[in-house]
Amino acid sequence: MDAGNIEDENGHWYPQHRAKKYRPSQLAKLNPMERSRYLYYEKPTKQMTQAKEAALKRVRLELRQRDAEAETRRMREVEKQQQEKHNELIGQLKAAEARNRIRLLRIRYNNVRNGELEQMIAYQPTSIRAVRLQALVPQKNNFILSKSDNMLKNDRQRIEEIIDDEEMATTKRDLTCI
């Protein structure tokens, strides 16, 4: 610590003794440049300190507000990503069900077609005509649809619950804790 200087509670250094001290009336008469040079080394007044603290308070409040806005933006982005993932999952489930329905319709159509062809072949008046018809109109393989459902009752109920869930209560996950 310099012998001629003092330190205040904020760590600022001020000269303790000056060669020339001005009274307030003399200080008011100085031009702005000289006054600022003189006051640069003086302790700030109570009013200046309060103004400085108020400004710092406003800055901190603004920073807190920016941080809160950034956090809400980030949360909205996470929710949007979760919504997109959920929509993609629902889309995949619906597409798989549609493919399965189309596959079942094709199998049913081929089975009905094969049954009609077998009936046409069976009702031919001669066996030569039946063999000729069978050779000209090829049959497709018969698919045997199983009457039993491959999915368990709980699995089917779970899938239907996921598809019917509009509020995403069953699939919405909070991934912020990861």
Side-chain angles (χ1 to χ4, degrees):
M1 182 170 181
D2 196 9
N5 296 329
I6 57 170
E7 184 178 359
D8 68 356
E9 63 276 354
N10 295 329
H12 294 101
W13 293 87
Y14 300 101
Q16 191 172 16
H17 301 289
R18 288 183 174 259
K20 190 173 194 180
K21 285 197 172 197
Y22 290 111
R23 283 180 262 140
S25 61
Q26 291 174 329
L27 192 60
K29 291 179 185 176
L30 291 176
N31 67 29
M33 182 66 80
E34 290 176 347
R35 190 178 328 127
S36 68
R37 284 183 188 153
Y38 179 82
L39 293 176
Y40 181 78
Y41 295 102
E42 292 294 313
K43 275 191 170 183
T45 63
K46 190 174 188 179
Q47 183 182 12
M48 291 171 66
T49 306
Q50 288 174 349
K52 178 181 166 185
E53 288 173 2
L56 285 174
K57 195 176 197 181
R58 284 192 307 270
V59 168
R60 287 186 192 116
L61 178 65
E62 179 70 26
L63 288 175
R64 270 188 259 127
Q65 288 175 346
R66 284 184 188 172
D67 290 346
E69 288 173 4
E71 182 67 21
T72 55
R73 264 188 260 116
R74 190 183 68 77
M75 291 302 292
R76 273 191 238 123
E77 196 65 34
V78 166
E79 287 177 8
K80 185 178 178 183
Q81 289 173 353
Q82 288 176 349
Q83 177 72 30
E84 288 172 358
K85 287 179 184 178
H86 177 76
N87 290 343
E88 184 178 345
L89 177 66
I90 296 299
Q92 289 172 352
L93 284 171
K94 287 183 178 182
E97 284 188 344
R99 281 192 303 269
N100 193 34
R101 281 194 304 270
I102 291 171
R103 184 182 69 83
L104 292 174
L105 281 173
R106 282 187 188 136
I107 290 171
R108 204 172 296 133
Y109 169 77
N110 286 332
N111 288 341
V112 168
R113 181 180 178 270
N114 287 341
E116 289 178 358
L117 284 175
E118 287 173 4
Q119 191 175 14
M120 285 175 59
I121 292 169
Y123 285 112
Q124 291 299 314
T126 63
S127 61
I128 292 177
R129 283 189 174 182
V131 170
R132 204 180 274 159
L133 182 62
Q134 191 174 10
L136 291 175
V137 184
Q139 289 185 342
K140 293 189 177 180
N141 294 337
N142 277 340
F143 291 101
I144 301 171
L145 293 175
S146 63
K147 298 295 180 184
S148 65
D149 194 0
N150 292 343
M151 278 193 268
L152 299 174
K153 187 177 181 181
N154 291 342
D155 293 340
R156 177 158 300 283
Q157 196 174 23
R158 176 78 172 137
I159 289 173
E160 289 174 0
E161 181 182 315
I162 289 172
I163 290 173
D164 294 338
D165 186 17
E166 295 295 324
E167 297 175 3
M168 299 185 313
T170 56
T171 58
K172 188 172 184 179
R173 301 286 187 261
D174 184 18
L175 301 176
T176 58
C177 62
I178 296 176

